Amino acid sequence: MKKNTQSLFFTFLFLILTCVVFAQNKTANDPDSQQKEALYKKYKREAQAYDKKEFDALFFEFFQKQKDPNVTLTKEEFYTYTIKIAAYSEKLGLLYKDQKEESLRTKQEWLDKSYADYLQSKKH
């Protein structure tokens, strides 16, 4: 019985350590992760205080600028938009518990956006 408990404990410990290692790898692969984190801390409260009208205006402005061939956002501008949208998505998960998983997924998608991919899309 004691061996089973020890075995279960070490398996659980191994799984936790594996998750921690993979989580660190994901952020280490993003060269802009520190900038994103700083912007997230800076704009989280502001974005979560938006009402729907303010958020819609932000979202529309971002897509207008992103699609405009004459406008290229700076890295900070691009990440400011994506971070604010991610933070607002998080807010929706807090407000609507039944949509929490979807809002967290949406938040992560916005946080995963890459400035390099944005610049690449501007070349086409």
Side-chain angles (χ1 to χ4, degrees):
M1 182 72 172
K2 188 175 181 181
K3 276 195 169 210
N4 287 340
T5 306
Q6 285 178 340
S7 177
L8 183 63
F9 173 75
F10 285 117
T11 303
F12 181 70
L13 184 63
F14 175 75
L15 289 173
I16 289 175
L17 291 175
T18 303
C19 290
V20 169
V21 169
F22 282 124
Q24 289 176 351
N25 260 350
K26 185 174 182 179
T27 58
N29 291 338
D30 186 0
D32 299 328
S33 62
Q34 288 182 339
Q35 183 177 13
K36 288 179 182 181
E37 287 177 31
L39 289 171
Y40 185 78
K41 287 178 183 176
K42 181 177 180 180
Y43 291 112
K44 178 181 177 182
R45 287 182 192 225
E46 176 186 326
Q48 288 185 346
Y50 287 164
D51 62 18
K52 181 157 176 35
K53 185 177 178 181
E54 290 171 311
F55 174 73
D56 288 345
L58 173 80
F59 198 76
F60 182 69
E61 180 182 336
F62 173 65
F63 276 100
Q64 270 189 318
K65 288 183 178 182
Q66 188 178 17
K67 297 297 180 191
D68 187 341
N70 300 320
V71 174
T72 301
L73 297 170
T74 65
K75 187 184 279 191
E76 185 165 345
E77 290 172 327
F78 177 80
Y79 284 136
T80 298
Y81 280 112
T82 60
I83 295 299
K84 286 180 176 182
I85 293 168
Y88 188 83
S89 297
E90 181 180 23
K91 171 189 173 179
L92 294 178
L94 297 171
L95 292 174
Y96 306 104
K97 301 294 183 190
D98 60 326
Q99 296 179 9
K100 186 175 183 175
E101 283 184 36
E102 184 176 333
S103 69
L104 290 177
R105 183 183 51 77
T106 302
K107 173 190 170 190
Q108 194 58 50
E109 286 175 10
W110 282 101
L111 291 175
D112 290 343
K113 298 261 186 216
S114 164
Y115 185 69
D117 291 343
Y118 163 71
L119 290 178
Q120 191 65 32
S121 73
K122 288 300 237 180
K123 291 180 181 178
H124 296 278

